[in-house]
Amino acid sequence: MGERAKALLVDDRRDNLLALEAILQGLPVTAVAVESGEAALKQLLTDDFAVILLDAHMPNMDGFETASHIKRRERTRHVPILFLTAADRDAQLALRGYAVGAVDYLTKPFDPWVLRAKVSIFVELWTKNQQLKSQAEASKEREAQWLRLTGTVDEAARVLRAGGEKAATEALDLLEKARWGD
């Protein structure tokens, strides 16, 4: 389990992206910064993210439209989105953000420690989810191995019941192969 959580930072202003990267520095997360909604959607085709920090107001495709596309995709619909905006504290914008699937909506200037705390929670949840997936895969593999072994034991028992001159030798050969994974 060496994969590190990633945060997708989406803002059309490079200085805002640099500020977000600085805020997240020191957290167990790799920041991936892009400057448009289109670039974010492309990035989401190849990488998995623990959280998305999304500017609400961008040219061409704004954050609301970007979020809408993200939530429509099976692969990305469960990634938490935190909207960040310099807009005034218009409640309608916040409601619009929640309506397209955001988990939170922060207006600038926001407290960087609050943002760090929120990102930390989503990174921790992502990490736990990755651990659960890994444990589920290991459990599935153990179950498959168990089924193969019991199948071999059943086959060895069938050979012994059938009897015959070489039954014991054949049954032992089956069990030895199963023991060594052949």
Side-chain angles (χ1 to χ4, degrees), residues 45 57 89 95 97 113 180:
L45 290 173
H57 298 289
R89 300 181 191 277
L95 290 175
W113 293 104
W180 302 110

Side-chain angles (χ1 to χ4, degrees), residues 6-21 24 30-44 49 51-59 61-67 70 79-86 108 110 115:
K6 295 178 188 172
L8 182 59
L9 316 179
V10 187
D11 198 306
D12 61 312
R13 295 187 52 190
R14 189 77 198 128
D15 56 335
N16 288 342
L17 291 171
L18 291 172
L20 288 173
E21 288 172 340
L24 299 182
T30 300
V32 177
V34 297
E35 295 182 12
S36 70
E38 294 88 348
L41 295 175
K42 286 180 186 172
Q43 195 69 49
L44 286 161
F49 291 91
V51 64
I52 300 170
L53 305 182
L54 181 59
D55 182 25
H57 298 289
M58 296 183 291
M61 182 187 300
D62 69 12
F64 303 108
E65 185 180 351
T66 303
I70 291 168
V79 180
I81 298 172
L82 296 170
F83 269 111
L84 307 174
T85 185
K108 298 172 190 170
F110 51 81
L115 182 61

Side-chain angles (χ1 to χ4, degrees), residues 70-91:
I70 291 168
K71 293 302 179 177
R72 279 196 295 250
R73 291 181 179 171
E74 180 62 35
R75 176 183 167 138
T76 57
R77 75 174 31 138
H78 299 293
V79 180
I81 298 172
L82 296 170
F83 269 111
L84 307 174
T85 185
D88 60 12
R89 300 181 191 277
D90 183 356

Side-chain angles (χ1 to χ4, degrees), residues 90-102:
D90 183 356
Q92 291 302 320
L93 287 178
L95 290 175
R96 186 173 171 206
Y98 293 125
V100 294

Side-chain angles (χ1 to χ4, degrees), residues 159-172:
V159 168
L160 287 171
R161 279 191 209 98
E165 199 174 295
K166 298 181 183 177
T169 303
E170 188 179 339
L172 282 173

